[in-house]
């Protein structure tokens, strides 16, 4: 899981959406960067003539650059936490020092953001795309796709879910605050000012949850209980808090602080934890407790009045696919059957592989050794990068039940290139650590982020990055790692990959069945038992509730992977022995986080170019 600031997934202005969901953003405002592939496609469908390519073109291109820079500034100006993780030196991007507070979260604000989206889309439509450069046109298409997709949420603002057990604001925000880097003394003051606002911010979230309940959209009691369990993880003595653990080391990184100043800062920090942080979680928990009984039915989004409509929007926004929900379901089922069929055929031909699958294991288990190994393994099939450093950290024991198995924190685009990967020892095992670090590290999110920064595209593209693209690449990388030299027998590798892929596919399929088709627990349990041999009803219940809590999340991973896999399969079929994995991966990486709706026409041009020139 790539931690782009997922606090909370709020649709502020279409760009601020991404700002609130982005822990790191990109290059210099107005920079054309390295460009995107398929430049011949850039002018397709446009009506301008070559005679426009002088002063008119230069004027329109300058106006568009100014528009992009303004949108970037507006999107992050009022979100200081996102801003801190996006850029280290905001003044270089024309951004003045913001007021240290969390962005407002309310129904009224979300509705206002929806109106602002429409205004931005109207302004975007004023540009003559025939006069833009190919690189600008790519950004234009990214932004247009994002804004048009977000229009699908208009009138459904109360269906957002800022709180959830695993990836909700209350679970992730403390980790982000703990990673708030102090580059100088001002950063310490900014952090403390922001931390002192957390109770005010959580009060807004509680009011939003109450508004949902008043509209008949409250979460079920079971879901509330799991969120409460997450909150409880942070209701410990401030002296033992994750924030306290990291505060001292962050202070030590600031030059020029005397021991007396450090002691003063520590005392102030502890006071804020006692007077603001603990009350934030205490009051939020009380507010959630009071909502119990508002929605007794345990079920997916389809149990709410406009739930299926919202899920269709969510699927389009999170995955970036151009498939309808029904069509996507068919595609998922088809790929799952292909993977399971490959397993059956191989095992039928070689029964001894059953035992080998059980007995075989990836030999590497030390995280540092794994990451070093992965950097070596990717050299043949993935483009070269500048050197990247990383820091491995472990989720504190008290938070192991509340956080993901692993996640990567994207650094600021103008930082020193350092990267942080968190490992949750409770949720990870030696067996899955290798592929998990391929997902988070190489060639997954760390590599993906470094590649993006090396290209220095316009920063607004980070705000527009599609979750399906990012997590699809992460899952693609995770499954690709089964092909590396990792200690597994060659005959076992494709079986392990297909088995793992079908598991992700199953969760994505159930995501649709539960939230869109309306499956209840009994139907889900029956399906798992009859189709996959799940005999433990408690395991089936855990799967069901995990999907209930996070609509669209599992769908995002697998659909992104499926889109990349589908393009690769087409490229292999068309190019035959001319197919080059490194060239394909470079094309995908050059797409800078665009939705697959935007990528596909570029892919067809890339494929044609490869066929003609390889």
């Amino acid at each position: 899981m790539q931690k782009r600031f997922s606090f909370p997934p709020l649709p502020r202005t279409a760009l601020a959406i991404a700002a609130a969901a982005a822990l790191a953003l990109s290059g210099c405002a107005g920079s054309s960067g390295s460009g995107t592939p398929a430049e011949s496609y850039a002018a397709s469908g446009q009506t301008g003539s070559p005679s426009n390519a002088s002063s008119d073109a230069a004027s329109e291109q300058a106006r568009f650059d100014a528009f992009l820079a303004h949108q970037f500034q507006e999107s992050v100006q009022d979100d200081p936490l996102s801003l801190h993780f996006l850029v280290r030196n905001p003044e270089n991007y024309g951004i003045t020092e913001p007021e240290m507070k969390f962005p407002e979260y309310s129904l009224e604000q979300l509705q206002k953001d929806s109106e602002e989206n429409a205004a931005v889309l109207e302004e975007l439509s004023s540009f003559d795309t025939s006069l833009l450069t190919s690189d600008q046109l790519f950004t234009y298409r990214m932004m247009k796709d994002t804004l048009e997709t977000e229009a699908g949420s208009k009138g459904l603002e109360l269906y957002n879910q800022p709180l959830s057990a695993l990836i909700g604001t209350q679970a992730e925000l403390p980790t982000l605050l703990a990673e708030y880097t102090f580059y100088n003394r001002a950063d310490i003051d900014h952090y403390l000012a922001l931390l002192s606002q957390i109770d005010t911010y959580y009060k807004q979230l509680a009011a939003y949850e109450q508004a949902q309940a008043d509209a008949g959209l409250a979460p079920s009691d079971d879901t509330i209980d799991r969120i409460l369990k997450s909150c409880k993880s942070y209701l410990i003595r401030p002296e033992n808090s994750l924030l306290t653990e990291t505060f001292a080391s962050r202070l030590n990184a600031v030059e020029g602080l005397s021991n007396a100043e450090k002691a003063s800062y520590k005392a102030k920090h502890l006071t804020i934890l006692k007077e603001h942080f603990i009350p934030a979680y205490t009051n939020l928990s009380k507010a959630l407790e009071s909502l119990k009984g508002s929605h007794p039915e345990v079920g997916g989004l389809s149990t709410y009045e406009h739930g299926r409509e919202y899920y269709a929007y969510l699927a389009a926004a999170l995955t970036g696919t151009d498939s309808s929900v029904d069509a996507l379901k068919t595609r998922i089922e088809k790929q799952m059957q292909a993977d399971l069929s490959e397993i059956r055929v191989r095992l039928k031909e070689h029964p001894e592989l059953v035992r080998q699958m059980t007995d075989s294991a990836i030999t590497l288990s030390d995280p540092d050794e794994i990451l070093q190994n992965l950097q070596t393994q990717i050299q043949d099939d993935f483009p070269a990068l500048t050197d990247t450093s990383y820091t491995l950290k472990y989720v504190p024991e008290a938070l192991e039940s509340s956080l993901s198995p692993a996640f990567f924190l994207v650094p600021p685009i103008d930082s020193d290139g350092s990267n942080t990967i968190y490992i949750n020892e409770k949720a990870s095992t030696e067996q899955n650590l290798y592929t998990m670090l391929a997902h988070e590290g190489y060639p997954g999110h760390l590599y993906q982020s470094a590649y993006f920064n090396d290209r220095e595209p316009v920063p607004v593209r980070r705000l527009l990055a599609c979750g399906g693209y990012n997590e699809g690449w992460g899952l693609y990388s995770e499954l690709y790692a089964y092909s590396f030299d990792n200690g597994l027998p060659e005959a076992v590798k494709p079986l392990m990959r297909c088995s793992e892929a079908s598991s992700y596919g199953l969760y994505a399929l159930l995501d649709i069945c539960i939230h869109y088709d309306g499956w209840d627990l009994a139907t889900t349990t029956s399906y798992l038992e009859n189709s996959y041999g799940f005999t433990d009803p408690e395991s089936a219940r855990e799967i069901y509730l995990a999907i209930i809590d996070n609509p669209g999340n599992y769908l995002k991973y697998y659909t992104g992977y499926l889109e990349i896999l589908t393009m690769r399969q087409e490229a292999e079929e068309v190019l035959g022995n001319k197919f080059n994995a490194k060239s394909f991966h470079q094309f995908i990486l050059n797409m800078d986080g665009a939705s697959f709706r935007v990528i596909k026409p570029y892919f067809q041009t890339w494929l044609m170019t490869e066929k003609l020139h390889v």
Side-chain angles (χ1 to χ4, degrees):
M1 173 184 291
Q2 180 175 210
K3 290 287 187 195
R4 297 184 180 279
F5 193 31
S6 47
F7 117 75
L10 62 149
R12 297 180 60 74
T13 325
L15 307 182
I17 274 189
L23 223 164
L25 300 191
S26 63
C28 245
S31 166
S32 61
S34 305
T36 55
E39 292 191 0
S40 58
Y41 173 74
S44 65
Q46 307 306 321
T47 58
S49 65
S51 62
N52 291 330
S54 55
S55 60
D56 288 348
S59 175
E60 191 73 341
Q61 290 163 19
R63 187 169 77 92
F64 188 68
D65 278 345
F67 168 77
L68 295 181
H70 176 73
Q71 291 303 318
F72 179 73
Q73 293 161 3
E74 286 292 300
S75 297
V76 299
Q77 180 69 56
D78 296 326
D79 189 356
L81 184 57
S82 288
L83 175 61
H84 184 77
F85 283 105
L86 302 177
V87 293
R88 179 173 176 174
N89 300 295
E91 64 277 5
N92 293 342
Y93 300 83
I95 300 170
T96 58
E97 185 176 305
E99 181 182 355
M100 297 308 295
K101 64 177 184 179
F102 295 98
E104 180 183 344
Y105 198 96
S106 66
L107 173 60
E108 293 72 23
Q109 183 62 51
L110 295 177
Q111 291 170 334
K112 179 181 177 182
D113 293 335
S114 181
E115 294 172 0
E116 290 177 356
N117 280 346
V120 174
L121 180 58
E122 183 177 357
E123 185 176 0
L124 180 69
S125 301
S126 72
F127 289 96
D128 184 347
T129 54
S130 69
L131 300 179
L132 301 180
T133 67
S134 60
D135 197 57
Q136 288 178 322
L137 186 56
F138 182 75
T139 307
Y140 175 96
R141 287 171 171 152
M142 283 185 72
M143 185 177 291
K144 185 172 185 287
D145 178 78
T146 299
L147 290 165
E148 290 179 341
T149 303
E150 282 308 307
S153 68
K154 185 175 177 59
L156 301 172
E157 291 84 2
L158 276 176
Y159 283 80
N160 285 340
Q161 291 185 273
L163 306 178
S164 69
L166 188 64
I167 59 174
T169 301
Q170 85 297 332
E172 297 188 338
L173 182 53
T175 303
L176 297 176
L177 290 169
E179 287 294 329
Y180 192 104
T181 304
F182 300 156
Y183 300 111
N184 51 47
R185 192 185 300 263
D187 286 327
I188 306 173
D189 295 329
H190 290 165
Y191 162 80
L192 292 174
L194 192 60
L195 182 60
S196 67
Q197 296 290 318
I198 191 170
D199 48 348
T200 300
Y201 179 58
Y202 278 20
K203 184 177 181 180
Q204 292 179 5
L205 295 182
Y208 177 80
E209 295 288 330
Q210 183 62 59
Q212 285 184 314
D214 294 341
L217 303 175
S220 70
D221 290 359
D222 278 353
T223 297
I224 290 175
D225 282 338
R226 288 187 293 281
I227 298 173
L228 288 172
K229 183 179 178 181
S230 170
C231 289
K232 188 176 180 181
S233 300
Y234 297 103
L235 290 173
I236 58 177
R237 294 180 69 249
E239 291 83 357
N240 299 330
S241 168
L242 167 66
L243 298 179
T244 301
E245 289 180 17
T246 64
F247 189 66
S249 60
R250 287 181 285 160
L251 284 179
N252 290 335
V254 179
E255 296 181 359
L257 287 182
S258 66
N259 290 334
E261 288 174 317
K262 291 179 183 179
S264 176
Y265 273 129
K266 289 177 184 178
K268 185 175 182 180
H269 184 251
L270 194 60
T271 297
I272 292 173
L273 290 178
K274 291 177 180 178
E275 296 181 356
H276 297 280
F277 184 85
I278 297 298
Y281 278 89
T282 300
N283 294 332
L284 181 61
S285 297
K286 290 179 180 177
L288 290 171
E289 282 280 4
S290 71
L291 297 181
K292 283 188 175 181
S294 300
H295 188 74
E297 181 180 2
V298 179
L301 285 173
S302 60
T303 63
Y304 300 94
E305 183 179 3
H306 297 290
R308 295 181 82 249
E309 181 183 350
Y310 181 73
Y311 185 79
Y313 149 73
L314 205 59
L318 292 178
T319 68
T321 186
D322 57 357
S323 297
S324 67
V325 176
D326 289 323
L328 182 56
K329 180 181 177 182
T330 300
R331 291 180 61 195
I332 292 170
E333 290 175 323
K334 183 179 179 181
Q335 185 58 46
M336 286 178 62
Q337 289 306 314
D339 286 332
L340 294 172
S341 177
E342 181 174 346
I343 293 174
R344 284 193 295 268
V345 169
R346 287 177 180 267
L347 292 182
K348 184 177 181 179
E349 293 176 351
H350 303 283
E352 70 278 4
L353 290 178
V354 176
R355 183 174 182 82
Q356 286 191 40
M357 284 185 69
T358 304
D359 296 343
S360 300
I362 293 175
T363 52
L364 295 174
S365 59
D366 177 76
D368 277 308
E369 290 182 5
I370 289 174
L371 288 168
Q372 293 299 323
N373 174 271
L374 288 169
Q375 290 185 73
T376 301
Q377 297 286 328
I378 68 173
Q379 291 178 4
D380 290 339
D381 290 352
F382 295 84
L385 279 185
T386 55
D387 291 337
T388 56
S389 60
Y390 62 84
T391 300
L392 280 172
K393 295 185 178 182
Y394 291 88
V395 172
E397 185 177 353
L399 304 180
E400 289 177 339
S401 299
S402 304
L403 293 175
S404 304
F407 50 89
F408 167 64
L409 294 175
V410 187
I413 55 175
D414 54 351
S415 72
D416 57 6
S418 59
N419 303 277
T420 300
I421 295 176
Y422 266 93
I423 297 175
N424 186 339
E425 291 187 290
K426 181 177 180 179
S428 61
T429 65
E430 289 187 2
Q431 183 63 24
N432 68 11
L433 188 59
Y434 186 88
T435 54
M436 187 173 69
L437 288 176
H439 184 126
E440 305 301 341
Y442 308 92
H445 294 318
L446 189 158
Y447 171 90
Q448 176 188 29
S449 173
Y451 187 94
F452 182 94
N453 287 347
D454 276 357
R455 284 165 44 77
E456 297 185 345
V458 289
V460 77
R461 288 189 191 169
R462 278 286 189 170
L463 297 177
L464 299 169
C466 172
Y469 174 97
N470 288 326
E471 294 303 350
W473 177 263
L475 180 54
Y476 176 85
S477 300
E478 177 179 338
L479 298 176
Y480 205 88
Y482 280 108
S483 67
F484 294 155
D485 182 10
N486 51 33
L488 290 174
E490 288 301 318
V492 169
K493 291 178 180 179
L495 296 176
M496 300 283 276
R497 176 186 57 77
C498 286
S499 176
E500 187 75 4
S502 62
S503 296
Y504 275 98
L506 176 60
Y507 273 65
L509 179 62
L510 290 176
D511 200 283
I512 294 175
C513 292
I514 292 169
H515 288 293
Y516 193 74
D517 294 341
W519 284 16
D520 58 14
L521 176 58
T523 305
T524 304
T525 301
S526 177
Y527 172 79
L528 288 172
E529 181 177 358
N530 295 331
S531 300
Y532 295 96
F534 274 72
T535 57
D536 180 9
E538 185 56 34
S539 295
R541 182 175 183 273
E542 288 180 8
I543 293 173
Y544 179 76
L545 294 178
I547 292 171
I548 289 291
D549 287 348
N550 306 288
N553 188 53
Y554 298 101
L555 187 70
K556 171 178 63 179
Y557 283 74
Y558 189 78
T559 300
Y561 159 74
L562 181 59
E563 291 286 5
I564 295 172
L565 179 65
T566 301
M567 285 187 281
R568 176 169 179 143
Q569 289 171 339
E570 182 179 351
E572 289 176 335
E573 181 179 346
V574 170
L575 299 176
N577 59 12
K578 292 182 178 180
F579 175 80
N580 181 274
K582 182 177 288 188
S583 178
F584 173 74
H585 293 150
Q586 185 168 10
F587 164 77
I588 296 296
L589 289 162
N590 283 351
M591 290 291 97
D592 290 343
S595 76
F596 298 102
R597 293 180 292 269
V598 172
I599 291 174
K600 285 183 178 180
Y602 286 89
F603 170 69
Q604 291 302 322
T605 303
W606 172 85
L607 190 57
M608 185 186 304
T609 303
E610 288 288 295
K611 187 177 181 180
L612 292 174
H613 294 99
V614 173

